[in-house]
Amino acid sequence: MNNQDKQYLNYDNIQNILKNVKEKITISNLEEEYKMKINQKRKIIGLAAAVILLFTGSFFTVDAVSNGEITKSIKEKIKSSIEEQINREVEVEDVNVQKDENGMEIVTYKLKDGGMLVLKGQD
């Protein structure tokens, strides 16, 4: 081998080493960025959990001081809103009755407010 061939081989080896180092640096940078994002998400979730924990603790403390009046009023409001939804009257636009392969009757009510109610039962 002459001197020029040795220099060429050295140049190729150096280029391969540089390429490998650049790839490892890139991979390392991407891994660090990924770890940073995961840590940031963990911090946000931890902060949200702490806020929720403090809120519920303060709610129960205030509720205990008021002898459960806050809880009772919330339960009554929820119950009344559910009863309103159950007991409200709706106008039916279209009724469709079909039978499936098992002989079950499927009744579909298309409501005027855009909703739909499907009932399935036997004859």
Side-chain angles (χ1 to χ4, degrees):
M1 263 190 191
N2 61 24
N3 200 17
Q4 190 176 13
D5 288 338
K6 287 182 183 178
Q7 287 178 348
Y8 179 72
L9 290 175
N10 262 348
Y11 179 77
D12 283 345
N13 287 339
I14 291 171
Q15 291 301 319
N16 284 338
I17 291 171
L18 287 174
K19 181 181 174 186
N20 288 340
V21 169
K22 286 179 184 178
E23 288 176 358
K24 288 181 181 181
I25 290 172
T26 303
I27 290 171
S28 174
N29 288 342
L30 291 173
E31 287 174 346
E32 284 298 318
E33 186 178 328
Y34 180 73
K35 287 178 186 177
M36 285 174 42
K37 286 182 181 180
I38 288 176
N39 287 337
Q40 187 177 15
K41 287 180 182 178
R42 285 182 182 162
K43 287 179 184 177
I44 291 171
I45 290 171
L47 180 63
V51 168
I52 290 171
L53 185 65
L54 289 173
F55 178 73
T56 55
S58 63
F59 174 78
F60 287 123
T61 303
V62 171
D63 191 45
V65 169
S66 67
N67 292 327
E69 291 299 319
I70 295 174
T71 306
K72 288 177 188 174
S73 66
I74 291 173
K75 285 180 183 178
E76 288 174 6
K77 286 181 183 178
I78 292 173
K79 185 178 176 183
S80 66
S81 67
I82 290 174
E83 286 175 351
E84 282 179 18
Q85 290 294 321
I86 291 173
N87 294 330
R88 73 181 176 112
E89 293 184 15
V90 293
E91 294 184 34
V92 176
E93 188 175 294
D94 188 26
V95 178
N96 185 7
V97 179
Q98 297 175 341
K99 288 194 176 190
D100 67 0
E101 63 275 357
N102 297 328
M104 298 285 277
E105 191 173 81
I106 301 171
V107 181
T108 305
Y109 297 94
K110 184 176 179 187
L111 308 177
K112 284 195 175 182
D113 66 358
M116 187 173 284
L117 176 65
V118 178
L119 301 176
K120 185 174 185 178
Q122 291 186 343
D123 292 338

